[in-house]
Amino acid sequence: MSEYLKSTLEMVETQFSNSAIILAGDFNKLSFKTAARCYELKPTINFPTRGSNTLDQIYTNMQNYYQPPTKNPLFGLSDHITITVFPKVRERSKLQRKTIRIRPKKRSNIASLGRFFMKIPWTDLLFKAQSSDEKLNIFTEIIRYGLNTIMPERSIKVHETDKPWMNANLKQLIKRRQKAFSSGDVFLYKLLRTKLTVRGKGVE
């Protein structure tokens, strides 16, 4: 049995890395502590389960997500106590929203901004300036005017946990992808997943 458990754990770790593992049962006369340490499985029962002996045990790598085991009366004709384990109650965190200022970067706006800068007589304007500071001020004011006129900032609300590159379009794609996955539409799911990957790389 010990070798069977070890080979099974090895298979699980190989095929499904970072899996949640829970092993429960009567470990009397079973040498498993070394294997448990190898796979980072912690024993969670610290009280006798049959008479004065702790024969039953629950090994898991998810101990932080469960409440400590509790002991209950014997069940039926068994001489082992009944053990119950419950998951911890997960408190839902309230997502805070904040307001940020952004410039919409539509392709049409970017093209318009480029045409605006192309029409500026840069040489004439900068040649009249007497110092490099004046040239910089003129250049900065023109850039600011173009941005504020063609691509004015606007306020949007975002969650505090949102990444800087997250936007409404990406969120909508994520919702559509999850809906396709839930409905079993594999083709649409893969298509939307690819779109998200491409767009995600483009905004990083």
Side-chain angles (χ1 to χ4, degrees), residues 154 156 158 162-179 191-204:
R154 64 186 181 91
I156 62 170
V158 298
D162 282 350
K163 299 295 183 182
W165 42 262
M166 182 60 68
N167 56 45
N169 291 333
L170 285 176
K171 287 185 177 182
Q172 187 61 31
L173 270 178
I174 292 173
K175 287 182 179 179
R176 291 177 58 196
R177 181 199 63 184
Q178 295 306 103
K179 185 177 180 180
L191 178 64
L192 294 173
R193 183 183 61 182
T194 302
K195 283 187 176 181
L196 272 170
T197 301
V198 173
R199 293 195 183 185
K201 289 181 178 179
V203 296
E204 286 180 354

Side-chain angles (χ1 to χ4, degrees), residues 31 40 71 91 110 143 151 165 174 179 188:
S31 178
E40 298 183 353
K71 50 186 175 180
E91 296 183 1
I110 295 174
I143 296 295
M151 298 172 61
W165 42 262
I174 292 173
K179 185 177 180 180
L188 181 58

Side-chain angles (χ1 to χ4, degrees), residues 102-151:
I102 65 166
R103 292 187 189 275
K105 298 181 178 64
K106 295 182 180 179
R107 291 185 178 181
S108 57
N109 288 351
I110 295 174
S112 297
L113 188 63
R115 289 192 294 270
F116 169 78
F117 289 144
M118 290 291 291
K119 294 179 181 179
I120 300 295
W122 295 104
T123 303
D124 295 339
L125 291 173
L126 298 178
F127 181 77
K128 296 177 181 179
Q130 299 298 317
S131 66
S132 57
D133 287 339
E134 288 184 49
K135 295 179 188 292
L136 178 60
N137 289 335
I138 292 173
F139 178 78
T140 303
E141 286 300 319
I142 294 174
I143 296 295
R144 184 180 293 114
Y145 175 81
L147 287 172
N148 292 336
T149 303
I150 300 173
M151 298 172 61

Side-chain angles (χ1 to χ4, degrees), residues 12 23 46 50 75 77 83 109 111 117 132 142 164 175 195:
V12 170
L23 288 178
N46 56 6
R50 181 179 182 271
F75 182 77
L77 300 178
I83 302 167
N109 288 351
F117 289 144
S132 57
I142 294 174
K175 287 182 179 179
K195 283 187 176 181

